[in-house]
Amino acid sequence: MKRILSGIQPSGALHIGNYFGALKQFLALERDNEAFYFVADYHALTSLRDPQALRGYTFDVIVTMLALGLDPEKATLFVQSDVPETTELAWLLTTVTPMGWLEKCVSYKDKVQQGLPAEHGLFAYPVLQAADILLYDADLVPVGQDQKQHLEITRDIAERFNHVYGKGSEVFRLPNPYILETSAVIPGLDGRKMSKSYGNTIEIFEEPAAIRKKVKKIVTDSTPVEAPKNPDTDPLFGLYALFASPADRAEMAERYRQGGVGYGEVKSRLGDAMVAFFEPARERRKEWLAHPERVAEVRAAAADRARRAARTVLDRAREACGVC
Ligand code: TYM
């Protein structure tokens, strides 16, 4: 049994990149492990400045996780800011984090390039993420490829703290990333990584008609219908493969290689497959939305469990560095 931990920012409605890159693994790992999954609202403050929207998305991310089938009895589904111990640990970690490690972070540079102001919260984002992970003695952290560098920095910070204060014993457990090769980077409508900030997403719970409309917009090349196509390099096929049954996937791959399949047909089959895939979750979502008090109960019980786990590690860290 391993400790699993991961988080998702409530900076918008979750999309299929979040699903295949992270949430699907959350579901698989909660079964035989001790899982902690959280809504990273402190992190979202680095890009979202609308309190009502932040509260709304935070609720929506919990509901999305529950609708997709995460079991609140098995996994602890909490909200990051319900565990304020996180920010205290982030400060302890920040005191051993060299500026140079944060300066080389790609996601910081990307976000500043996209026009976000170069603020300290954005710069220190990876230290807060390290606190999230180390606070729960996590063994495995299921994420998409874009989080790999943050995981490396987390390990570096943990090792540094252990080295400075550990006196031969470990203060922090070193976590490992859990990144599946087949879903490390899910492409968006324009072929780049699916991301809210690129405006190329398909949301999990978008209306079926909107899903079909967006799928039609997926960028394809101009290979004619009759020409053979390579399924392994076609992003549209990549998406189809995620949703289709193994038999449908194999058949479509064969037809790609032979030629005679048009992108229009693939898109229409992808739209149908996508809508059908999330249909059961769509139904469960309606039920949770009809009972916000149950969502609040899940959140409160999880906060309790998470805080207890966090306290143990925070006390260990405080003791090690002498702030107690
Ligand atoms: P966030 O909120 O951007 O994304 C949540 C998860 O979805 C994955 N993901 C993708 N995977 C594959 N293809 C894509 N197109 C795609 N888009 C998103 C992300 O890799 C992530 O796993 N910093 C984190 C949140 C966080 C966190 C943590 C994660 C805060 N603290 C501690 C793990 C552990 C983030 O911004 O993820």
Side-chain angles (χ1 to χ4, degrees), residues 5-11 14-23 25-26 38-40 43 80 107 111 125 128-133 141-148 150-151 154 183-188 192-196 200:
L5 176 123
S6 196
I8 297 197
Q9 289 196 73
S11 43
L14 300 189
H15 54 71
I16 63 174
N18 298 130
Y19 178 76
F20 287 101
L23 289 157
Q25 284 66 264
F26 291 9
F38 69 94
V39 185
H43 276 111
Q80 186 183 31
S107 79
K111 285 178 184 163
Y125 183 113
L128 181 60
Q129 183 157 347
D132 293 329
I133 298 169
V141 184
V143 283
Q145 178 71 24
D146 59 0
Q147 297 300 312
K148 193 162 182 251
H150 288 160
L151 264 291
T154 298
S183 53
V185 186
I186 306 299
R192 292 188 293 169
K193 183 192 86 163
M194 185 173 287
S195 165
K196 275 164 283 203
N200 63 358

Short mmCIF file of all heavy atoms in Angstrom, two decimals, residues 5-11 14-23 25-26 38-40 43 80 107 111 125 128-133 141-148 150-151 154 183-188 192-196 200, ligand 1:
data_model
loop_
_atom_site.label_atom_id
_atom_site.label_comp_id
_atom_site.label_asym_id
_atom_site.label_seq_id
_atom_site.Cartn_x
_atom_site.Cartn_y
_atom_site.Cartn_z
N LEU A 5 -0.59 11.01 -3.78
CA LEU A 5 -1.08 12.37 -3.61
C LEU A 5 -1.03 13.12 -4.93
O LEU A 5 -0.08 12.98 -5.69
CB LEU A 5 -0.21 13.14 -2.60
CG LEU A 5 -0.67 14.60 -2.52
CD1 LEU A 5 -1.04 15.00 -1.11
CD2 LEU A 5 0.32 15.56 -3.13
N SER A 6 -2.10 13.88 -5.20
CA SER A 6 -2.03 14.77 -6.36
C SER A 6 -3.06 15.89 -6.23
O SER A 6 -4.02 15.76 -5.46
CB SER A 6 -2.25 14.01 -7.67
OG SER A 6 -1.83 14.81 -8.76
N GLY A 7 -2.84 16.95 -6.99
CA GLY A 7 -3.75 18.10 -6.93
C GLY A 7 -4.09 18.63 -8.31
O GLY A 7 -3.37 18.38 -9.28
N ILE A 8 -5.20 19.35 -8.35
CA ILE A 8 -5.65 19.99 -9.60
C ILE A 8 -6.08 21.41 -9.28
O ILE A 8 -6.79 21.64 -8.29
CB ILE A 8 -6.86 19.21 -10.19
CG1 ILE A 8 -6.42 17.79 -10.55
CG2 ILE A 8 -7.44 19.93 -11.39
CD1 ILE A 8 -7.35 17.07 -11.48
N GLN A 9 -5.68 22.34 -10.11
CA GLN A 9 -6.06 23.74 -9.85
C GLN A 9 -7.51 24.01 -10.26
O GLN A 9 -7.92 23.61 -11.34
CB GLN A 9 -5.19 24.66 -10.69
CG GLN A 9 -3.77 24.75 -10.25
CD GLN A 9 -3.10 25.96 -10.89
OE1 GLN A 9 -3.36 27.10 -10.52
NE2 GLN A 9 -2.25 25.70 -11.86
N PRO A 10 -8.23 24.75 -9.41
CA PRO A 10 -9.59 25.14 -9.79
C PRO A 10 -9.57 26.45 -10.57
O PRO A 10 -10.14 27.44 -10.14
CB PRO A 10 -10.28 25.31 -8.43
CG PRO A 10 -9.18 25.76 -7.53
CD PRO A 10 -7.90 25.16 -8.04
N SER A 11 -8.90 26.45 -11.72
CA SER A 11 -8.83 27.70 -12.48
C SER A 11 -9.76 27.67 -13.69
O SER A 11 -9.68 28.51 -14.56
CB SER A 11 -7.38 27.99 -12.88
OG SER A 11 -6.75 26.82 -13.33
N LEU A 14 -12.72 21.36 -15.65
CA LEU A 14 -11.70 20.37 -16.03
C LEU A 14 -11.94 19.84 -17.44
O LEU A 14 -13.07 19.72 -17.90
CB LEU A 14 -11.66 19.23 -15.01
CG LEU A 14 -11.34 19.67 -13.58
CD1 LEU A 14 -11.11 18.46 -12.68
CD2 LEU A 14 -10.12 20.60 -13.52
N HIS A 15 -10.84 19.53 -18.12
CA HIS A 15 -10.92 19.10 -19.52
C HIS A 15 -10.36 17.69 -19.69
O HIS A 15 -9.85 17.09 -18.73
CB HIS A 15 -10.20 20.12 -20.41
CG HIS A 15 -8.79 20.42 -20.01
ND1 HIS A 15 -7.75 19.53 -20.16
CD2 HIS A 15 -8.25 21.53 -19.43
CE1 HIS A 15 -6.63 20.08 -19.74
NE2 HIS A 15 -6.91 21.29 -19.28
N ILE A 16 -10.43 17.20 -20.92
CA ILE A 16 -10.05 15.80 -21.10
C ILE A 16 -8.53 15.58 -20.95
O ILE A 16 -8.11 14.46 -20.71
CB ILE A 16 -10.60 15.21 -22.42
CG1 ILE A 16 -10.03 15.93 -23.61
CG2 ILE A 16 -12.13 15.24 -22.46
CD1 ILE A 16 -10.45 15.26 -24.90
N GLY A 17 -7.75 16.64 -21.06
CA GLY A 17 -6.31 16.52 -20.73
C GLY A 17 -6.15 16.21 -19.25
O GLY A 17 -5.35 15.34 -18.86
N ASN A 18 -6.91 16.90 -18.40
CA ASN A 18 -6.87 16.62 -16.96
C ASN A 18 -7.34 15.19 -16.69
O ASN A 18 -6.80 14.50 -15.82
CB ASN A 18 -7.80 17.56 -16.17
CG ASN A 18 -7.44 19.02 -16.28
OD1 ASN A 18 -8.27 19.87 -16.57
ND2 ASN A 18 -6.19 19.35 -16.07
N TYR A 19 -8.35 14.77 -17.45
CA TYR A 19 -8.89 13.43 -17.21
C TYR A 19 -7.85 12.34 -17.52
O TYR A 19 -7.51 11.54 -16.66
CB TYR A 19 -10.18 13.18 -18.02
CG TYR A 19 -10.69 11.78 -17.77
CD1 TYR A 19 -11.33 11.47 -16.58
CD2 TYR A 19 -10.45 10.75 -18.68
CE1 TYR A 19 -11.73 10.17 -16.30
CE2 TYR A 19 -10.86 9.45 -18.42
CZ TYR A 19 -11.49 9.17 -17.22
OH TYR A 19 -11.87 7.89 -16.94
N PHE A 20 -7.34 12.36 -18.76
CA PHE A 20 -6.43 11.26 -19.13
C PHE A 20 -5.05 11.43 -18.52
O PHE A 20 -4.37 10.44 -18.23
CB PHE A 20 -6.35 11.12 -20.65
CG PHE A 20 -7.60 10.51 -21.23
CD1 PHE A 20 -8.55 11.30 -21.84
CD2 PHE A 20 -7.85 9.16 -21.11
CE1 PHE A 20 -9.73 10.76 -22.33
CE2 PHE A 20 -9.02 8.60 -21.60
CZ PHE A 20 -9.96 9.40 -22.21
N GLY A 21 -4.63 12.69 -18.31
CA GLY A 21 -3.30 12.91 -17.73
C GLY A 21 -3.26 12.63 -16.24
O GLY A 21 -2.21 12.25 -15.72
N ALA A 22 -4.38 12.82 -15.55
CA ALA A 22 -4.34 12.71 -14.09
C ALA A 22 -5.52 11.93 -13.50
O ALA A 22 -5.33 10.90 -12.86
CB ALA A 22 -4.28 14.12 -13.49
N LEU A 23 -6.75 12.42 -13.74
CA LEU A 23 -7.91 11.87 -13.02
C LEU A 23 -8.10 10.37 -13.21
O LEU A 23 -8.48 9.65 -12.28
CB LEU A 23 -9.17 12.62 -13.44
CG LEU A 23 -9.23 14.06 -12.92
CD1 LEU A 23 -10.15 14.92 -13.79
CD2 LEU A 23 -9.70 14.08 -11.48
N GLN A 25 -5.86 8.16 -13.59
CA GLN A 25 -4.90 7.48 -12.71
C GLN A 25 -5.33 7.61 -11.24
O GLN A 25 -5.12 6.71 -10.44
CB GLN A 25 -3.49 8.03 -12.90
CG GLN A 25 -2.77 7.58 -14.16
CD GLN A 25 -3.41 8.10 -15.44
OE1 GLN A 25 -4.22 7.43 -16.06
NE2 GLN A 25 -3.08 9.33 -15.85
N PHE A 26 -5.96 8.75 -10.92
CA PHE A 26 -6.46 8.91 -9.54
C PHE A 26 -7.41 7.75 -9.22
O PHE A 26 -7.36 7.16 -8.15
CB PHE A 26 -7.26 10.20 -9.36
CG PHE A 26 -6.49 11.50 -9.43
CD1 PHE A 26 -5.17 11.55 -9.83
CD2 PHE A 26 -7.12 12.70 -9.11
CE1 PHE A 26 -4.48 12.76 -9.90
CE2 PHE A 26 -6.45 13.91 -9.17
CZ PHE A 26 -5.13 13.95 -9.57
N PHE A 38 -6.44 16.62 -4.00
CA PHE A 38 -6.93 17.91 -3.52
C PHE A 38 -7.12 18.93 -4.63
O PHE A 38 -6.57 18.82 -5.72
CB PHE A 38 -6.00 18.45 -2.43
CG PHE A 38 -4.65 18.87 -2.94
CD1 PHE A 38 -4.42 20.18 -3.30
CD2 PHE A 38 -3.63 17.95 -3.07
CE1 PHE A 38 -3.18 20.57 -3.78
CE2 PHE A 38 -2.40 18.32 -3.55
CZ PHE A 38 -2.16 19.63 -3.91
N VAL A 39 -7.92 19.94 -4.27
CA VAL A 39 -8.20 21.06 -5.17
C VAL A 39 -7.23 22.18 -4.77
O VAL A 39 -7.31 22.69 -3.64
CB VAL A 39 -9.66 21.53 -5.00
CG1 VAL A 39 -9.98 22.60 -6.02
CG2 VAL A 39 -10.62 20.35 -5.12
N ALA A 40 -6.34 22.54 -5.69
CA ALA A 40 -5.24 23.45 -5.35
C ALA A 40 -5.66 24.91 -5.47
O ALA A 40 -5.25 25.62 -6.39
CB ALA A 40 -4.03 23.13 -6.24
N HIS A 43 -2.87 27.58 -5.16
CA HIS A 43 -2.13 27.72 -6.42
C HIS A 43 -2.92 28.53 -7.44
O HIS A 43 -2.36 29.33 -8.18
CB HIS A 43 -1.80 26.33 -7.01
CG HIS A 43 -0.57 25.72 -6.43
ND1 HIS A 43 -0.59 24.62 -5.61
CD2 HIS A 43 0.73 26.06 -6.55
CE1 HIS A 43 0.66 24.31 -5.25
NE2 HIS A 43 1.47 25.17 -5.82
N GLN A 80 -7.10 22.32 -0.70
CA GLN A 80 -5.76 22.69 -0.21
C GLN A 80 -5.83 23.71 0.94
O GLN A 80 -5.17 23.54 1.96
CB GLN A 80 -4.99 23.30 -1.39
CG GLN A 80 -3.54 23.63 -1.14
CD GLN A 80 -2.94 24.29 -2.38
OE1 GLN A 80 -3.63 24.99 -3.13
NE2 GLN A 80 -1.66 24.08 -2.61
N SER A 107 7.49 26.37 -16.35
CA SER A 107 6.10 26.82 -16.27
C SER A 107 6.03 28.28 -15.82
O SER A 107 5.16 29.03 -16.27
CB SER A 107 5.26 25.90 -15.39
OG SER A 107 5.47 26.16 -14.05
N LYS A 111 4.34 31.14 -18.23
CA LYS A 111 3.20 31.95 -17.79
C LYS A 111 3.53 33.44 -17.90
O LYS A 111 2.66 34.24 -18.26
CB LYS A 111 2.80 31.58 -16.36
CG LYS A 111 2.05 30.25 -16.32
CD LYS A 111 1.69 29.85 -14.91
CE LYS A 111 1.04 28.48 -14.90
NZ LYS A 111 1.04 27.88 -13.56
N TYR A 125 5.68 29.24 -6.76
CA TYR A 125 4.66 28.19 -6.99
C TYR A 125 5.22 26.78 -6.74
O TYR A 125 4.60 25.97 -6.04
CB TYR A 125 4.16 28.36 -8.43
CG TYR A 125 3.05 27.46 -8.90
CD1 TYR A 125 1.80 27.97 -9.20
CD2 TYR A 125 3.25 26.09 -9.08
CE1 TYR A 125 0.78 27.16 -9.67
CE2 TYR A 125 2.24 25.27 -9.54
CZ TYR A 125 1.01 25.81 -9.83
OH TYR A 125 0.01 24.98 -10.29
N LEU A 128 5.42 25.80 -3.02
CA LEU A 128 4.12 25.45 -2.45
C LEU A 128 3.73 24.04 -2.89
O LEU A 128 3.19 23.25 -2.11
CB LEU A 128 3.08 26.48 -2.91
CG LEU A 128 1.65 26.31 -2.38
CD1 LEU A 128 1.60 26.38 -0.85
CD2 LEU A 128 0.72 27.37 -2.98
N GLN A 129 4.03 23.72 -4.14
CA GLN A 129 3.71 22.37 -4.63
C GLN A 129 4.55 21.32 -3.89
O GLN A 129 4.05 20.24 -3.56
CB GLN A 129 3.94 22.28 -6.15
CG GLN A 129 3.55 20.94 -6.71
CD GLN A 129 3.23 20.97 -8.20
OE1 GLN A 129 3.07 22.03 -8.78
NE2 GLN A 129 3.16 19.82 -8.82
N ALA A 130 5.79 21.65 -3.60
CA ALA A 130 6.64 20.72 -2.84
C ALA A 130 6.03 20.50 -1.46
O ALA A 130 5.98 19.37 -0.95
CB ALA A 130 8.06 21.27 -2.73
N ALA A 131 5.52 21.59 -0.86
CA ALA A 131 4.90 21.48 0.46
C ALA A 131 3.68 20.54 0.39
O ALA A 131 3.52 19.66 1.24
CB ALA A 131 4.48 22.85 0.98
N ASP A 132 2.86 20.71 -0.65
CA ASP A 132 1.69 19.83 -0.83
C ASP A 132 2.09 18.37 -0.78
O ASP A 132 1.42 17.53 -0.18
CB ASP A 132 1.08 20.00 -2.23
CG ASP A 132 0.45 21.34 -2.46
OD1 ASP A 132 -0.05 21.92 -1.51
OD2 ASP A 132 0.49 21.80 -3.63
N ILE A 133 3.17 18.08 -1.48
CA ILE A 133 3.54 16.68 -1.67
C ILE A 133 4.24 16.12 -0.43
O ILE A 133 3.91 15.03 0.06
CB ILE A 133 4.46 16.56 -2.92
CG1 ILE A 133 3.68 17.01 -4.17
CG2 ILE A 133 4.99 15.14 -3.08
CD1 ILE A 133 4.52 17.20 -5.41
N VAL A 141 3.09 10.37 -7.14
CA VAL A 141 2.32 11.55 -7.51
C VAL A 141 1.87 11.41 -8.97
O VAL A 141 2.65 11.63 -9.90
CB VAL A 141 3.17 12.83 -7.32
CG1 VAL A 141 2.34 14.07 -7.60
CG2 VAL A 141 3.76 12.89 -5.92
N PRO A 142 0.61 11.00 -9.20
CA PRO A 142 0.12 10.86 -10.58
C PRO A 142 -0.14 12.23 -11.22
O PRO A 142 -0.94 13.00 -10.71
CB PRO A 142 -1.20 10.08 -10.43
CG PRO A 142 -1.62 10.28 -9.00
CD PRO A 142 -0.39 10.60 -8.20
N VAL A 143 0.55 12.51 -12.30
CA VAL A 143 0.44 13.81 -12.99
C VAL A 143 0.70 13.62 -14.48
O VAL A 143 1.17 12.57 -14.91
CB VAL A 143 1.49 14.84 -12.47
CG1 VAL A 143 1.09 15.42 -11.13
CG2 VAL A 143 2.88 14.23 -12.41
N GLY A 144 0.43 14.68 -15.25
CA GLY A 144 0.82 14.73 -16.66
C GLY A 144 2.27 15.20 -16.76
O GLY A 144 2.86 15.68 -15.79
N GLN A 145 2.79 15.08 -17.98
CA GLN A 145 4.20 15.40 -18.24
C GLN A 145 4.58 16.82 -17.81
O GLN A 145 5.69 17.06 -17.34
CB GLN A 145 4.43 15.21 -19.75
CG GLN A 145 5.82 15.53 -20.25
CD GLN A 145 6.83 14.49 -19.81
OE1 GLN A 145 6.46 13.34 -19.52
NE2 GLN A 145 8.07 14.88 -19.74
N ASP A 146 3.63 17.76 -17.95
CA ASP A 146 3.97 19.17 -17.66
C ASP A 146 4.34 19.41 -16.19
O ASP A 146 4.86 20.45 -15.84
CB ASP A 146 2.81 20.10 -18.09
CG ASP A 146 1.49 19.77 -17.39
OD1 ASP A 146 1.44 18.83 -16.58
OD2 ASP A 146 0.49 20.47 -17.67
N GLN A 147 4.08 18.43 -15.33
CA GLN A 147 4.39 18.59 -13.91
C GLN A 147 5.71 17.93 -13.52
O GLN A 147 6.11 17.94 -12.36
CB GLN A 147 3.26 18.03 -13.03
CG GLN A 147 1.94 18.74 -13.21
CD GLN A 147 2.04 20.21 -12.87
OE1 GLN A 147 2.58 20.58 -11.83
NE2 GLN A 147 1.56 21.06 -13.76
N LYS A 148 6.39 17.34 -14.49
CA LYS A 148 7.58 16.55 -14.18
C LYS A 148 8.66 17.41 -13.50
O LYS A 148 9.26 17.00 -12.50
CB LYS A 148 8.13 15.95 -15.48
CG LYS A 148 9.15 14.89 -15.23
CD LYS A 148 9.35 14.02 -16.44
CE LYS A 148 10.35 12.94 -16.13
NZ LYS A 148 11.62 13.12 -16.80
N HIS A 150 8.29 20.08 -11.75
CA HIS A 150 7.91 20.41 -10.37
C HIS A 150 8.19 19.23 -9.42
O HIS A 150 8.54 19.43 -8.27
CB HIS A 150 6.43 20.80 -10.31
CG HIS A 150 6.15 22.15 -10.91
ND1 HIS A 150 4.90 22.54 -11.32
CD2 HIS A 150 6.97 23.18 -11.18
CE1 HIS A 150 4.96 23.77 -11.81
NE2 HIS A 150 6.20 24.18 -11.74
N LEU A 151 8.03 18.04 -9.93
CA LEU A 151 8.32 16.85 -9.11
C LEU A 151 9.82 16.73 -8.84
O LEU A 151 10.24 16.36 -7.74
CB LEU A 151 7.81 15.59 -9.82
CG LEU A 151 6.43 15.08 -9.43
CD1 LEU A 151 6.44 14.51 -8.03
CD2 LEU A 151 5.37 16.16 -9.51
N THR A 154 10.68 19.20 -6.23
CA THR A 154 10.19 18.72 -4.93
C THR A 154 11.21 17.77 -4.31
O THR A 154 11.55 17.88 -3.12
CB THR A 154 8.84 17.99 -5.10
OG1 THR A 154 7.89 18.91 -5.63
CG2 THR A 154 8.33 17.43 -3.78
N SER A 183 -0.52 8.78 -21.98
CA SER A 183 -1.38 9.94 -21.75
C SER A 183 -0.62 11.08 -21.06
O SER A 183 -1.21 11.90 -20.37
CB SER A 183 -2.60 9.54 -20.92
OG SER A 183 -2.18 8.87 -19.76
N ALA A 184 0.68 11.14 -21.28
CA ALA A 184 1.50 12.16 -20.63
C ALA A 184 1.16 13.56 -21.14
O ALA A 184 1.15 14.53 -20.39
CB ALA A 184 2.98 11.87 -20.85
N VAL A 185 0.88 13.66 -22.44
CA VAL A 185 0.50 14.95 -23.04
C VAL A 185 -0.68 14.73 -23.97
O VAL A 185 -0.53 14.19 -25.07
CB VAL A 185 1.65 15.58 -23.86
CG1 VAL A 185 1.26 16.98 -24.31
CG2 VAL A 185 2.95 15.63 -23.07
N ILE A 186 -1.86 15.16 -23.56
CA ILE A 186 -3.05 15.04 -24.41
C ILE A 186 -3.12 16.29 -25.28
O ILE A 186 -3.09 17.41 -24.77
CB ILE A 186 -4.34 14.91 -23.55
CG1 ILE A 186 -4.22 13.75 -22.54
CG2 ILE A 186 -5.58 14.79 -24.42
CD1 ILE A 186 -4.04 12.39 -23.15
N PRO A 187 -3.23 16.11 -26.60
CA PRO A 187 -3.27 17.29 -27.47
C PRO A 187 -4.63 17.97 -27.44
O PRO A 187 -5.66 17.33 -27.24
CB PRO A 187 -2.98 16.71 -28.86
CG PRO A 187 -3.41 15.29 -28.79
CD PRO A 187 -3.25 14.85 -27.36
N GLY A 188 -4.62 19.29 -27.67
CA GLY A 188 -5.86 20.05 -27.74
C GLY A 188 -6.33 20.20 -29.18
O GLY A 188 -5.78 19.59 -30.09
N ARG A 192 -1.51 21.48 -30.08
CA ARG A 192 -0.60 21.74 -28.94
C ARG A 192 -1.18 21.07 -27.71
O ARG A 192 -2.32 20.61 -27.72
CB ARG A 192 -0.51 23.25 -28.67
CG ARG A 192 0.19 24.02 -29.78
CD ARG A 192 0.41 25.46 -29.37
NE ARG A 192 -0.83 26.20 -29.24
CZ ARG A 192 -0.92 27.42 -28.69
NH1 ARG A 192 0.15 28.01 -28.20
NH2 ARG A 192 -2.07 28.06 -28.63
N LYS A 193 -0.41 21.03 -26.61
CA LYS A 193 -0.92 20.43 -25.38
C LYS A 193 -2.27 21.06 -25.01
O LYS A 193 -2.40 22.28 -25.07
CB LYS A 193 0.08 20.68 -24.24
CG LYS A 193 -0.32 20.03 -22.92
CD LYS A 193 0.51 20.53 -21.76
CE LYS A 193 -0.06 21.80 -21.18
NZ LYS A 193 0.43 22.14 -19.83
N MET A 194 -3.25 20.22 -24.66
CA MET A 194 -4.53 20.78 -24.25
C MET A 194 -4.34 21.56 -22.95
O MET A 194 -3.81 21.04 -21.98
CB MET A 194 -5.57 19.67 -24.05
CG MET A 194 -6.94 20.23 -23.75
SD MET A 194 -8.26 19.00 -23.68
CE MET A 194 -8.49 18.58 -25.38
N SER A 195 -4.77 22.82 -22.97
CA SER A 195 -4.54 23.67 -21.80
C SER A 195 -5.52 24.84 -21.81
O SER A 195 -5.77 25.43 -22.87
CB SER A 195 -3.10 24.19 -21.86
OG SER A 195 -2.94 25.26 -20.96
N LYS A 196 -6.04 25.15 -20.61
CA LYS A 196 -6.96 26.28 -20.50
C LYS A 196 -6.32 27.54 -21.07
O LYS A 196 -6.97 28.34 -21.73
CB LYS A 196 -7.30 26.52 -19.02
CG LYS A 196 -8.43 25.66 -18.52
CD LYS A 196 -8.49 25.63 -16.99
CE LYS A 196 -7.44 24.74 -16.42
NZ LYS A 196 -7.67 24.22 -15.07
N ASN A 200 -7.72 25.75 -26.07
CA ASN A 200 -7.89 24.65 -27.03
C ASN A 200 -8.46 23.39 -26.37
O ASN A 200 -8.16 22.28 -26.76
CB ASN A 200 -6.53 24.32 -27.67
CG ASN A 200 -5.52 23.83 -26.64
OD1 ASN A 200 -5.82 23.76 -25.45
ND2 ASN A 200 -4.34 23.47 -27.10
P1 TYM B 1 -3.21 21.46 -13.42
O1 TYM B 1 -4.35 21.94 -12.59
O2 TYM B 1 -2.71 22.35 -14.50
O3 TYM B 1 -3.55 20.07 -14.09
C1 TYM B 1 -4.05 18.98 -13.33
C2 TYM B 1 -3.46 17.69 -13.84
O4 TYM B 1 -3.80 17.49 -15.22
C3 TYM B 1 -2.63 17.23 -15.98
N1 TYM B 1 -2.80 17.78 -17.33
C4 TYM B 1 -2.52 17.11 -18.46
N2 TYM B 1 -2.06 15.86 -18.65
C5 TYM B 1 -1.89 15.46 -19.94
N3 TYM B 1 -2.18 16.23 -21.02
C6 TYM B 1 -2.65 17.50 -20.87
N4 TYM B 1 -2.95 18.25 -21.93
C7 TYM B 1 -2.84 17.99 -19.54
N5 TYM B 1 -3.28 19.17 -19.01
C8 TYM B 1 -3.24 19.01 -17.66
C9 TYM B 1 -1.52 17.96 -15.22
O5 TYM B 1 -0.25 17.43 -15.56
C10 TYM B 1 -1.93 17.68 -13.79
O6 TYM B 1 -1.48 16.42 -13.38
N6 TYM B 1 0.69 22.38 -10.42
C11 TYM B 1 -0.41 21.44 -10.67
C12 TYM B 1 -1.37 21.30 -9.51
C13 TYM B 1 -0.71 20.88 -8.23
C14 TYM B 1 -0.18 19.60 -7.94
C15 TYM B 1 0.31 19.68 -6.61
C16 TYM B 1 -0.08 18.39 -8.66
C17 TYM B 1 -0.54 21.67 -7.15
N7 TYM B 1 0.07 20.94 -6.16
C18 TYM B 1 0.91 18.58 -5.99
C19 TYM B 1 0.52 17.32 -8.02
C20 TYM B 1 1.00 17.39 -6.70
C21 TYM B 1 -1.19 21.96 -11.87
O7 TYM B 1 -1.15 23.12 -12.18
O8 TYM B 1 -1.98 21.04 -12.46
#
